[in-house]
Structure formats: C-alpha cells, structure tokens
Amino acid sequence: MSSFYLLAFALLLPAVLGHNAIQHDCSVFNFYGISPYKSNLKDLMSCLLDQTPATGFVTYTVGSFPNRVYGLALCRGDIQAKDCGTCITEATREIQNLCPSSRSAIMWYDNCMIRYSPVEFSGSVDYKHYYHKYNVYNKIKYRAYFVERRNMFLRELVRQVDANPKLYATAEMEFGSSTFYGLVQCTRDLSRAECKRCLNTAIRMYRKSGDDMATGWFGFRSCNLRYETYPFCEDLSKWNSNLMNKFGRKST
C-alpha cells in the first residue's frame, strides 16, 4: 500500500465519531484556499446526502475539467432509508472535517461509505488499497476444518450476489454450538462479473492474512466482506448445507 494510505490506515476513527465509524483515507494531493474544486466538492456532498437514502446508492459528478469531482455513496443493503440518511449525514460531515483539503478521500462506516476523487473511478476496482480488521475468537475447535468451512461459506455468499440487484448477500452459519454471520457487498457501479471478481479477491486476501483469526472485516474501495460472531445485520438467511457429512467430522 502507498505511504499516505498506510498513514491514514493507522488513524482508526475514535469513538467520538460514532460507534459505527470504521476508518478513512485522505489523499496527499490537496486543493488550496477557496477554489472551484472546493465549491464543486461542497455541491457533491450535498447531492450525495440528498439522493442516497432513497435507493441506498448513488454516483454523481459535479463540475468540469480540471475541477470536476466524482462521488459515490453506498449504504449497507439491509438498512432503511432513515438510517442510511443518518449515516451519510455523519459521513459527509466527518470526511470534510478529517480531509479538509484533500482532492480525493474515502470513509467507511458500519452502515455506509462515501468516496470522492478528481479521477473517474466508476465501474473499476482499485486492488492496491484496502482495509482490514480482525477479531480473535479462540473458542473454535478443529480450526483447520473451521477455516475451510468459513471459506466455503463466504464463497457461497459471493454466488448469491448474482441474485440481488443490490449486489449484496448475507447469511448465518452454525458451527458446533456457535453461530457466525456473514456479509458481502459491492458498490453498484460494478458489473456482476467485476463484483464477484472483487469479492473473490477479497476472500483470498482475507485468507492469506487472517486464517488464524475467526472473524473480521476486509474490503477494497468497491467491495467488502464481513464475518462476525454476532448478528450485525437484519436480513439474514440460514446457510443450509451438508458440509458436516461431506467432511465426515464433528465440530464441537
């Protein structure tokens, strides 16, 4: 990852910004003083705030070259318009406070994300920049079997994305006496094929860096996956599979 991203990655948002703030990234390329770009960015934030809650996703462009600014806002697939609006309101305010002169920035929350840049990014995935957060969960026996089952569960969620116009899927998985909850989601500017490619790459990266951790969160700027021991979203389906018999082992 680039040096400016690593610096921003280290600055996890404090609790005062809200319990569901994840992190942010401000570019080192800035505008100065009162500029046309700053004015366009202000208009963009207003448009994202006004238009996102109705559908949970919007892309918008304000201005002309060289001061054109591209923006995107996304809310988690299960939240209602009111909660979406609340999250976008906080995100648009805080991204301007934390990145006051940045020509590009992104902010992730539990319930939403926003992004802007002078370079058009719609429909493409930046695989160089990502965020991750892992939680140690030491109550799992048969760890190798658990990891294999978890990975199959996440890949099944990716397959389910095709059936949802929101490019979003959630489910829960039982493992012994524990229940785990999973989510995958893409920004809706991606094609279904690019969404699945992004999520499958995220799973590979997650496996590479987090197989010794039971739960966590991994995301690129255009897609993310999440896997927890508590129900963090509302529209969960049951993952009905016969993997126990397939592997011929018990998980207790």
Side-chain angles (χ1 to χ4, degrees), residues 12 19 23 26 48 94 113 118 123 127 156 180 231 248-249:
L12 293 179
H19 70 280
Q23 71 183 68
C26 311
L48 296 181
E94 292 304 330
M113 63 163 287
Y127 290 106
E156 176 60 28
F180 296 87
R249 301 163 74 175

Side-chain angles (χ1 to χ4, degrees), residues 216-234:
W217 194 326
F218 188 98
F220 295 108
R221 295 182 172 186
S222 300
C223 72
N224 72 89
L225 65 88
R226 188 174 179 184
Y227 191 72
E228 303 284 6
T229 57
Y230 59 92
F232 58 89
C233 50
E234 297 181 359

